[in-house]
């Protein structure tokens, strides 16, 4: 159960989200909003102290976001339409190619425009991919396809999961880092 409230501490406003988690987490969203995720029963004093202790980090993240915002590519409606059409063709092709190599099956493929994910795999084996991957080098698109297909063998991010990814893409860590870097600009 999530409870959303606004708090203010040391002139740092933040959104507090409580859930059945065990630890505190801090996020600075693209619009500069600060989000704190906390366990349901953690005291507000402890949460406030956590925010105060991380004020420098918060400011660095806000500066980084501001710097990136000038470099971020604004996608036009034509680019979006063309990209989605390309994605509807390329994801089934690349998924079929890698699924056969990896010896896995999958359900339906859906192309979406998620804000925070490049892809996902459901328990039923349905795959979702972010169409914006077609704007990146194919090696990065292939990494996401392999990553999601590896979940057909391991529905987690354990060492066994990463071994499956590495078996197909020995340079997956390089691709993963490049995706993180380039993804900031879309």
């Amino acid at each position: 159960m999530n409870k959303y409230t606004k708090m203010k501490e040391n002139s740092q406003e933040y959104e507090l989200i409580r859930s059945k988690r065990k630890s505190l987490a801090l996020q600075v969203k693209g619009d500069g909003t600060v989000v704190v995720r906390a366990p349901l029963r953690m005291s507000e004093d402890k949460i406030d102290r956590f925010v105060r202790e991380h004020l420098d980090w918060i400011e660095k993240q806000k500066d980084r976001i501001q710097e990136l915002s000038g470099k971020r590519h604004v996608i036009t409606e034509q680019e979006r339409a063309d990209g989605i059409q390309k994605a509807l063709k390329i994801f089934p092709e690349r998924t079929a190619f890698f699924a056969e190599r990896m010896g896995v099956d999958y359900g339906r493929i859906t192309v979406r425009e998620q804000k925070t994910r490049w892809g996902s795999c459901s328990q039923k084996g349905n795959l979702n991919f972010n169409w914006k991957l077609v704007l990146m080098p194919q090696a990065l698109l292939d990494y996401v396809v392999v990553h999601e297909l590896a979940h057909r063998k391991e529905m987690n991010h354990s060492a066994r999961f990463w071994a499956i990814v590495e078996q197909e893409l020995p340079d997956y860590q390089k691709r993963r880092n490049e995706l993180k870097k380039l993804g900031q600009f879309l």
Side-chain angles (χ1 to χ4, degrees):
M1 183 181 128
N2 289 342
K3 177 183 172 189
Y4 298 87
T5 57
K6 285 281 189 181
M7 304 295 244
K8 189 164 180 140
E9 179 62 37
N10 278 4
S11 25
Q12 177 57 66
E13 191 173 278
Y14 60 90
E15 181 180 344
L16 176 61
I17 301 174
R18 293 183 180 267
S19 63
K20 292 180 182 180
R21 59 182 299 126
K22 295 181 181 183
S23 62
L24 282 164
L26 194 55
Q27 174 189 17
V28 179
K29 292 183 176 180
D31 64 0
T33 304
V34 177
V35 179
V36 179
R37 298 178 194 284
L40 291 170
R41 293 194 169 102
M42 183 170 283
S43 74
E44 288 186 17
D45 286 343
K46 190 169 184 179
I47 296 166
D48 289 341
R49 189 169 45 251
F50 177 76
V51 172
R52 279 194 309 271
E53 290 170 357
H54 291 86
L55 285 174
D56 287 345
W57 181 86
I58 291 168
E59 286 309 311
K60 284 179 187 171
Q61 296 308 305
K62 286 183 174 186
D63 291 345
R64 191 177 131 267
I65 288 167
Q66 197 160 18
E67 181 183 319
L68 286 173
S69 67
K71 299 176 182 176
R72 190 162 286 156
H73 175 70
V74 178
I75 296 168
T76 66
E77 284 306 314
Q78 187 61 53
E79 283 176 309
R80 178 176 278 107
D82 293 348
I84 290 170
Q85 285 308 306
K86 185 175 178 182
L88 290 170
K89 181 179 183 297
I90 199 166
F91 281 114
E93 290 172 0
R94 300 309 290 164
T95 302
F97 173 78
F98 283 109
E100 184 177 333
R101 287 173 52 129
M102 296 169 71
V104 297
D105 61 355
Y106 55 92
R108 73 176 180 276
I109 296 173
T110 306
V111 173
R112 299 189 174 174
E113 186 172 356
Q114 305 97 313
K115 293 205 183 301
T116 59
R117 291 180 182 229
W118 293 114
S120 63
C121 176
S122 74
Q123 289 284 7
K124 293 180 179 179
N126 295 324
L127 305 174
N128 295 307
F129 295 106
N130 191 320
W131 75 265
K132 291 179 185 177
L133 283 164
V134 302
L135 301 175
M136 296 191 185
Q138 185 167 326
L140 305 185
L141 182 145
D142 286 348
Y143 160 71
V144 175
V145 170
V146 169
H147 179 112
E148 299 313 331
L149 287 172
H151 283 307
R152 298 299 294 136
K153 292 183 177 180
E154 287 289 328
M155 281 300 285
N156 55 50
H157 290 110
S158 65
R160 287 193 312 253
F161 167 84
W162 291 113
I164 294 165
V165 175
E166 187 172 32
Q167 184 176 352
E168 191 59 42
L169 300 174
D171 67 340
Y172 82 89
Q173 288 176 322
K174 179 181 166 201
R175 295 179 192 217
R176 185 174 183 215
N177 291 335
E178 187 70 13
L179 180 62
K180 284 180 186 177
K181 211 183 305 177
L182 288 178
Q184 299 176 81
F185 299 105
L186 291 178

